[in-house]
Amino acid sequence: MVLPSLKLQELIQEIRGAKTQAQEREVIQKECAHIRAAFREGDAPQRHRQLAKLLYVHMLGYPAHFGQMECLKLIASPRFTDKRVGYLGAMLLLDERQDAHLLITNSIKNDLSQGTQPVQGLALCTLSTTGSAEMCRDLASEVEKLLLRPSPYVRKKAVLAAVHMIRKVPELSDIFLPPCTQLLHERHHGILMGAVTLITELCERSPAALTHFRQVVPQLVQILRTLVISGYSTEHSVAGVSDPFLQVQVLKLLRILGRNHEESSEAMNDMLAQVATNTDTSRNAGNAVLYETVLTIVDIRSASGLRVLAVNILGRFLLNNDKNIRYVALTSLLRLVQSDHSAVQRHRPTVVECLRETDASLSRRALELSLALVNSSNIRSMTQELQGFLEFCPVDLRADCASGILLAAERFAPTKRWHIDTIMRVLTTAGAHVRDDAVANLTQLIGGAEELHAYSVRRLYNALAADISQQPLVQVAAWCIGEYGELLLSESYEETEPLQVQEEEVLMLLEKVLQSHLSLPATRGYALTALMKLSTRFQGDNNRIRRVVSIYGSCLDIELQQRAVEYNALFRKYDHMRSAILEKMPLVEHGGPQDDEPGEGKEQPWSPKREVQSPTEPPTSNLLDLLDLLDSASGDAQPPPALDLMPGGSLLHLLDLPSNTPSLAPIPGLKVFDREGLQISLSFVRPPETPALLLITATASNTSKSDVTHFVFQAAVPKSFQLQLQIPSGDTVPAQGGPPITQVLRVLNPNKAPLRMRLRLAYNHFGQSVQEIFEGRNLSQKFTQDPVYHRGSKEDTSTSDIRILVFLAELPTSFPYLHSPPPPTGEIPTACPHL
Amino acid sequence: MMQFMLLFSRQGKLRLQKWYVPLSDKEKKKITRELVQTVLARKPKMCSFLEWRDLKIVYKRYASLYFCCAIEDQDNELITLEIIHRYVELLDKYFGSVCELDIIFNFEKAYFILDEFLLGGEVQETSKKNVLKAIEQADLLQEPRHEYFNVPVY
């Protein structure tokens, strides 16, 4: 080492003089080398200097772990200077996680028992800052001894050391509990501070301690009284308030003791009122005490007059110029709003003022409080304010604000139209930040408000024409235009301006949405479906729509492609069904506020659409599948038969369960058909979360010696129900108990009407083709009693009360077979299954 | 209780760090960096409180130094402002019109003063006089070095 080691001040100066980071690093590295060498040499007199330099370097962020052992040596040294720096180093370098940490326990122990007061102070300080659990256990007795020493300097530190020990090792509470009451009689403010803190800590940790310390409430009230009324000592006062630190601490303890306890609360009522009225609030110290008083009043079982006083104090705080005080007031009012709603309502105008703050912390608090204050009487004005806020608020608050407005609108909307308007406005302003189910809610709402269809669709059209970037809005608008497109073209609705819209313009807009890169895949799906629907609503030529749809038949997005292909099929092969399939949707049952599960949130906008649309889609795909499967030559589908309700039939009460039966009661299965070894049974499951839905599984099993082939099972229900037939597992039941065919039927019964169902079978068995048709009439009773139908050959239709029905959900077309004779033998009727 | 106190300059350089909770060095550095960034980004007129993770941060700027404390949910923010102010007053009384340079060059003294005012994250002495008296007495106990003449110098 050529250069002599620097003094601390010189080192600091040199580091500060360094012009670049690299230069600084160089200086520091050089000095650290010196320090390391010095430590190695064991130069006792200079050690504290070296460590001080090391600590400075450590603060700048450089590694200093090689100084840890030096701290130990310094702590063990008899010199006060060494100890001072040593303990400081220990607090900075030797936290709990270091291995060398425990080694200081012995030194601390020695210092605590034998050291002078300043030394004891150092030891207690280090123990309180970085004492680990083991250290605390070891040193508990020493600290306890120090609690009883006469010197206040050591005692006040010992008390706070006890607080730290209890936080680390709660079992030590037993040791430190007894001296507390005595400590409260001290006059020294430092000891009192510590004692109150210690009692607070004990009470928070153990309910037994809490009960024990309720007896000190009078003592605490006395302390407060002395401070507030008589004790004006210059030593402790801050801006005219006597010892605000102690007052706040005492109030905090009173709060904990008075919570849920009538007697204690009563004992402190007067004092709290006095503190609240007498404290000088011109400076922050007084406001701090007042704030703590308010918190205490609110938390304990205080008299109602006192509570009103507390809320008024908060109201005054709200008008204060000091932002900190306003922040504190908003936070407290938020806590109060549940319990003292009307009192807080009085300050609503001021709260709304705070919304206009530029300070983000304040406006966030104001937003939360405003949302909590919304009720049915102030909904319109509050929503106005909140929407104004939404336009200018910082981005991180937008989501909360938007969802808050929507929630409030849902709860308190005075009229449907206002509700729709509000949601629309929120979507326009903050569309990207709303929750995913907002779209679903809005479509459901619009769907339900029939008188507002024209109004909604016009407004949405205008909004969409103006801006297609806000996805939720675009989705809703696309849906509406699809559903109610014809209302756009009709004469002007009185309350909005006349809207001269041509069909071409609407189509163009939807195409624009489809093509825009701003649109999400989901939005595109909405737009495509809307286009399809318009093909039936609009009178004009469908060529444009057909073109668009066929283009998307080769889209890369699977969802869009599937839709486009299906719609294409609708245009080409099933044009006659198009208008029926694309009819107006019935109102979806409102699911209520959905749980926010991350994965499912995205699917919410889909669910109402899917629920209702799916009855139309699977049949289409089913049909296509069946067509392929059964390889039918005939391409011309017959017009699907109409559903005809059977006159005078007794009703099946399957879905009409008596009220005393819980909806979860398992419904017994039914064997509905048994002939020559072929058995068909139905099992029923009602999923608990959707009581209107019934899942029926039809199982066809074969115990005969011959295979059953070309098996087709169909069912039909009255118009008030919705039925989906899912794809069967196969069409052949092998002989001798081979794997059965299963097919699931989903029956939706929104009106909770009794179910009636007609079933039709067609199959080949023993070389003959068979068709069976029967109805579920009082299914539960009739079938169990008479499970086997006498079915001879297919000619024998007249003997039973069977009608032939072929299923197609919700297609109001005629049934050709209803009153016609059964088809001739030996043929599988070609037309029937594939409709 | 107070979980930690940080003093940093307007350029973000740390001048004092007092941690009352056990954290690894890496975590301390990360927290310091984040907090310094957050506080320095605040505009001058904004309120002194902010929520950060699950703690409340109370900060105040005195000349070129930011005093930043992290308190727990149930603590009183306004009294924490008073605590910060009291500490500044103590430094002022000790150094005589304290400025940032005093704290830079005598950082260990700043620590000693803080340790006489707060202990384990709680206020230990509410009388300014007592705190200053204790520091003076401790200073007197420092064994004099013949090569140094001024108090307080290492």
Side-chain angles (χ1 to χ4, degrees):
Chain A
M1 286 169 298
V2 178
L3 295 171
S5 148
L6 298 167
K7 297 188 216 146
L8 173 65
Q9 303 253 303
E10 290 167 5
L11 172 66
I12 297 179
Q13 238 159 15
E14 199 170 317
I15 292 176
R16 284 171 63 78
K19 298 263 180 358
T20 64
Q21 184 81 343
Q23 215 176 351
E24 179 183 299
R25 244 197 311 260
E26 209 184 296
V27 169
I28 289 180
Q29 266 172 6
K30 239 186 332 196
E31 194 53 39
C32 283
H34 283 310
I35 296 175
R36 258 190 287 246
F39 285 161
R40 260 198 314 270
E41 284 167 22
D43 173 21
Q46 301 300 318
R47 200 178 280 139
H48 68 270
R49 270 177 62 197
Q50 310 295 1
L51 187 63
K53 285 188 279 186
L54 189 58
L55 290 178
Y56 182 78
V57 161
H58 171 74
M59 184 146 65
L60 292 175
Y62 295 89
H65 45 271
F66 53 88
Q68 285 173 7
M69 294 311 287
E70 305 308 311
C71 296
L72 294 175
K73 292 187 200 153
L74 282 171
I75 291 174
S77 148
R79 292 169 50 204
F80 184 71
T81 322
D82 286 349
K83 278 193 197 286
R84 228 182 174 191
V85 182
Y87 274 121
L88 179 63
M91 282 191 275
L92 287 175
L93 300 177
L94 276 178
D95 62 39
E96 277 187 15
R97 291 141 187 266
Q98 310 298 335
D99 302 321
H101 180 69
L102 274 177
L103 297 173
I104 60 175
T105 315
N106 216 24
S107 299
I108 294 188
K109 195 174 199 146
N110 288 337
D111 283 337
L112 283 180
S113 47
Q114 294 154 11
T116 59
Q117 282 190 20
V119 167
Q120 284 172 328
L122 288 175
L124 285 168
C125 180
T126 310
L127 180 56
S128 308
T129 314
T130 58
S132 64
E134 290 90 50
M135 273 175 70
C136 292
R137 266 188 274 260
D138 286 340
L139 298 168
S141 51
E142 294 295 326
V143 172
E144 193 194 345
K145 269 190 272 180
L146 289 176
L147 275 179
L148 310 164
R149 285 292 189 79
S151 141
Y153 177 77
V154 174
R155 270 170 101 189
K156 75 186 183 202
K157 291 187 195 260
V159 176
L160 285 176
V163 172
H164 174 85
M165 288 179 149
I166 293 176
R167 286 186 181 142
K168 284 287 183 193
V169 186
E171 295 82 52
L172 293 174
S173 316
D174 304 325
I175 308 183
F176 293 118
L177 200 142
C180 285
T181 333
Q182 187 56 36
L183 284 171
L184 272 185
H185 292 279
E186 291 292 323
R187 311 273 321 226
H188 188 272
H189 283 222
I191 302 181
L192 271 180
M193 232 6 232
V196 174
T197 315
L198 182 56
I199 298 178
T200 313
E201 195 62 37
L202 286 168
C203 291
E204 276 175 355
R205 283 179 190 273
S206 126
L210 185 60
T211 345
H212 170 80
F213 281 117
R214 290 231 167 85
Q215 56 181 311
V216 305
V217 169
Q219 181 76 17
L220 293 168
V221 170
Q222 182 59 34
I223 295 176
L224 258 189
R225 188 171 292 133
T226 328
L227 285 175
V228 172
I229 300 178
S230 36
Y232 183 78
S233 75
T234 44
E235 189 180 334
H236 292 117
S237 73
V238 177
V241 181
S242 301
D243 208 340
F245 304 108
L246 185 56
Q247 284 195 42
V248 164
Q249 207 69 2
V250 170
L251 286 165
K252 202 152 97 167
L253 180 54
L254 282 176
R255 180 158 81 238
I256 296 177
L257 292 175
R259 206 179 273 158
N260 289 330
H261 196 248
E262 278 295 339
E263 204 186 309
S264 309
S265 306
E266 226 166 310
M268 46 177 105
N269 265 331
D270 287 339
M271 197 60 234
L272 289 174
Q274 253 192 332
V275 174
T277 40
N278 285 358
T279 311
D280 176 11
T281 58
S282 55
R283 303 282 295 278
N284 186 53
N287 285 324
V289 173
L290 211 52
Y291 175 45
E292 196 69 36
T293 316
V294 165
L295 287 179
T296 305
I297 294 176
V298 161
D299 241 357
I300 65 173
R301 299 263 177 89
S302 48
S304 66
L306 207 51
R307 290 184 90 88
V308 170
L309 178 63
V311 177
N312 287 344
I313 292 176
L314 287 179
R316 266 203 337 259
F317 274 2
L318 266 185
L319 298 167
N320 199 312
N321 284 328
D322 188 348
K323 288 219 167 101
N324 298 332
I325 311 250
R326 265 191 280 178
Y327 177 89
V328 147
L330 286 171
T331 319
S332 325
L333 281 175
L334 194 58
R335 278 153 69 159
L336 272 184
V337 84
Q338 300 301 330
S339 46
D340 299 78
H341 193 88
S342 48
V344 181
Q345 276 287 356
R346 255 180 274 132
H347 300 286
R348 190 172 57 83
T350 332
V351 173
V352 168
E353 272 293 315
C354 292
L355 271 181
R356 312 222 179 93
E357 288 283 344
T358 45
D359 185 337
S361 324
L362 272 181
S363 49
R364 176 189 293 277
R365 286 272 176 253
L367 174 65
E368 282 172 22
L369 191 52
S370 308
L371 287 173
L373 284 178
V374 172
N375 64 20
S376 44
S377 48
N378 57 31
I379 177 75
R380 283 186 195 257
S381 52
M382 284 300 277
T383 316
Q384 197 72 12
E385 294 281 347
L386 286 169
Q387 277 175 333
F389 176 66
L390 188 59
E391 284 167 29
F392 298 113
C393 73
V395 180
D396 47 343
L397 288 180
R398 283 239 170 119
D400 291 326
C401 189
S403 49
I405 297 178
L406 291 177
L407 214 67
E410 203 173 298
R411 282 171 66 193
F412 299 117
T415 61
K416 278 208 172 141
R417 179 162 159 171
W418 180 91
H419 196 177
I420 293 177
D421 280 341
T422 311
I423 302 187
M424 270 196 62
R425 194 167 159 196
V426 171
L427 286 181
T428 336
T429 341
H433 301 274
V434 296
R435 272 169 41 165
D436 294 321
D437 61 352
V439 173
N441 284 342
L442 183 55
T443 52
Q444 207 264 342
L445 188 63
I446 293 179
E450 245 195 77
E451 66 281 11
L452 292 170
H453 282 169
Y455 170 75
S456 319
V457 77
R458 275 154 198 279
R459 282 212 57 189
L460 284 168
Y461 179 79
N462 281 335
L464 191 59
D467 171 23
I468 60 168
S469 63
Q470 300 272 28
Q471 292 305 297
L473 187 65
V474 172
Q475 288 173 3
V476 177
W479 185 85
C480 268
I481 293 177
E483 279 288 301
Y484 311 120
E486 70 278 14
L487 293 174
L488 264 183
L489 306 172
S490 64
E491 282 146 31
S492 65
Y493 187 61
E494 317 84 54
E495 292 185 31
T496 58
E497 316 94 50
L499 199 61
Q500 299 299 339
V501 179
Q502 307 292 335
E503 286 180 11
E504 287 298 312
E505 289 173 12
V506 180
L507 294 179
M508 208 158 60
L509 187 59
L510 283 176
E511 279 172 38
K512 192 165 140 201
V513 172
L514 258 181
Q515 288 157 8
S516 160
H517 63 279
L518 294 167
S519 304
L520 296 173
T523 317
R524 292 221 175 91
Y526 274 92
L528 192 59
T529 309
L531 268 177
M532 266 314 282
K533 290 187 197 168
L534 287 180
S535 70
T536 52
R537 314 267 198 269
F538 282 173
Q539 260 60 46
D541 196 4
N542 284 336
N543 280 333
R544 187 163 180 171
I545 300 180
R546 292 180 73 138
R547 222 179 26 239
V548 174
V549 166
S550 55
I551 291 175
Y552 277 86
S554 46
C555 173
L556 281 178
D557 184 297
I558 304 281
E559 172 66 35
L560 280 182
Q561 192 186 76
Q562 177 178 6
R563 289 189 186 215
V565 165
E566 288 175 7
Y567 295 152
N568 242 346
L570 265 185
F571 270 125
R572 278 195 263 125
K573 290 191 196 161
Y574 302 101
D575 207 40
H576 52 280
M577 297 199 321
R578 191 159 46 86
S579 55
I581 291 184
L582 297 173
E583 241 195 9
K584 284 230 177 67
M585 282 193 202
L587 185 60
V588 182
E589 204 171 276
H590 189 49
Q594 304 286 345
D595 276 318
D596 249 341
E597 282 172 68
E600 293 175 13
K602 289 268 171 351
E603 282 149 44
Q604 304 293 7
W606 293 98
S607 48
K609 279 199 70 93
R610 278 274 157 85
E611 275 282 274
V612 185
Q613 242 197 10
S614 39
T616 54
E617 287 183 357
T620 331
S621 45
N622 261 349
L623 292 177
L624 295 176
D625 284 340
L626 282 176
L627 271 173
D628 293 337
L629 266 179
L630 297 170
D631 199 16
S632 160
S634 148
D636 50 337
Q638 294 234 353
L643 279 169
D644 192 34
L645 299 184
M646 194 140 110
S650 56
L651 303 175
L652 175 67
H653 299 290
L654 209 55
L655 289 179
D656 184 17
L657 296 171
S659 53
N660 52 6
T661 316
S663 59
L664 295 178
I667 307 166
L670 283 179
K671 193 152 73 158
V672 301
F673 182 75
D674 190 349
R675 185 184 168 198
E676 295 168 341
L678 175 67
Q679 289 164 3
I680 316 259
S681 58
L682 301 177
S683 65
F684 304 94
V685 172
R686 184 196 299 282
E689 58 275 9
T690 41
L693 179 68
L694 185 67
L695 294 173
I696 307 177
T697 309
T699 313
S701 52
N702 182 7
T703 52
S704 69
K705 293 200 182 59
S706 162
D707 293 346
V708 168
T709 56
H710 297 91
F711 181 84
V712 176
F713 178 91
Q714 291 159 326
V717 291
K719 252 200 195 143
S720 57
F721 296 86
Q722 294 172 21
L723 174 60
Q724 285 174 41
L725 214 53
Q726 305 202 331
I727 301 176
S729 60
D731 70 334
T732 304
V733 193
Q736 308 283 47
I741 298 176
T742 52
Q743 189 165 13
V744 175
L745 294 78
R746 291 166 61 99
V747 180
L748 198 65
N749 180 16
N751 302 329
K752 304 255 186 300
L755 171 68
R756 284 153 52 177
M757 208 159 73
R758 293 180 193 164
L759 307 171
R760 183 185 190 277
L761 309 174
Y763 59 89
N764 279 358
H765 198 200
F766 293 116
Q768 291 176 335
S769 73
V770 182
Q771 289 142 51
E772 302 289 350
I773 337 143
F774 38 85
E775 185 194 355
R777 247 180 28 162
N778 216 354
L779 216 55
S780 49
Q781 287 172 2
K782 207 146 169 68
F783 279 173
T784 47
Q785 285 166 14
D786 195 3
V788 180
Y789 270 75
H790 310 292
R791 295 310 301 133
S793 69
K794 54 245 172 270
E795 297 97 36
D796 210 347
T797 39
S798 55
T799 55
S800 80
D801 43 346
I802 296 169
R803 300 296 167 86
I804 301 177
L805 289 180
V806 180
F807 154 63
L808 269 175
E810 294 186 54
L811 297 182
T813 44
S814 60
F815 268 175
Y817 304 105
L818 203 53
H819 302 288
S820 62
T825 59
E827 265 179 51
I828 298 174
T830 52
C832 86
H834 321 307
L835 287 168
Chain B
M1 72 181 246
M2 189 185 296
Q3 293 213 351
F4 56 85
M5 183 192 274
L6 301 173
L7 265 67
F8 50 89
S9 72
R10 298 231 289 149
Q11 284 75 41
K13 288 197 109 100
L14 199 60
R15 299 298 176 206
L16 187 144
Q17 48 173 337
K18 188 77 187 174
W19 299 84
Y20 293 109
V21 286
L23 289 167
S24 74
D25 240 1
K26 211 166 81 153
E27 279 165 30
K28 286 184 191 167
K29 286 212 175 101
K30 183 160 168 253
I31 292 177
T32 310
R33 218 180 17 241
E34 267 180 48
L35 254 190
V36 167
Q37 233 176 4
T38 316
V39 172
L40 286 177
R42 304 267 291 180
K43 301 203 206 62
K45 290 283 181 55
M46 294 175 108
C47 78
S48 291
F49 313 128
L50 58 104
E51 285 108 38
W52 181 80
R53 298 201 189 169
D54 57 339
L55 298 170
K56 300 200 268 202
I57 306 291
V58 179
Y59 72 93
K60 196 146 183 221
R61 187 174 143 221
Y62 287 86
S64 55
L65 264 187
Y66 282 90
F67 287 71
C68 180
C69 297
I71 54 176
E72 290 173 347
D73 208 35
Q74 67 269 25
D75 294 329
N76 184 331
E77 294 96 323
L78 296 177
I79 208 71
T80 313
L81 277 177
E82 285 300 315
I83 292 177
I84 294 178
H85 190 72
R86 172 58 67 89
Y87 181 47
V88 173
E89 283 180 333
L90 289 168
L91 289 172
D92 194 55
K93 213 42 187 295
Y94 182 80
F95 287 111
S97 278
V98 68
C99 61
E100 190 184 343
L101 278 180
D102 290 320
I103 302 185
I104 296 173
F105 280 95
N106 301 286
F107 68 95
E108 75 284 0
K109 291 288 191 217
Y111 277 108
F112 296 150
I113 296 175
L114 186 60
D115 287 336
E116 288 297 332
F117 177 43
L118 300 175
L119 197 71
E122 306 281 353
V123 174
Q124 67 175 287
E125 180 59 69
T126 54
S127 154
K128 244 193 305 197
K129 197 175 81 183
N130 286 348
V131 175
L132 292 168
K133 206 162 55 175
I135 299 277
E136 274 171 31
Q137 284 181 347
D139 279 346
L140 286 174
L141 283 178
Q142 298 238 143
E143 291 81 358
R145 317 287 307 151
H146 56 267
E147 59 263 41
Y148 303 101
F149 298 101
N150 290 335
V151 163
V153 161
Y154 260 103

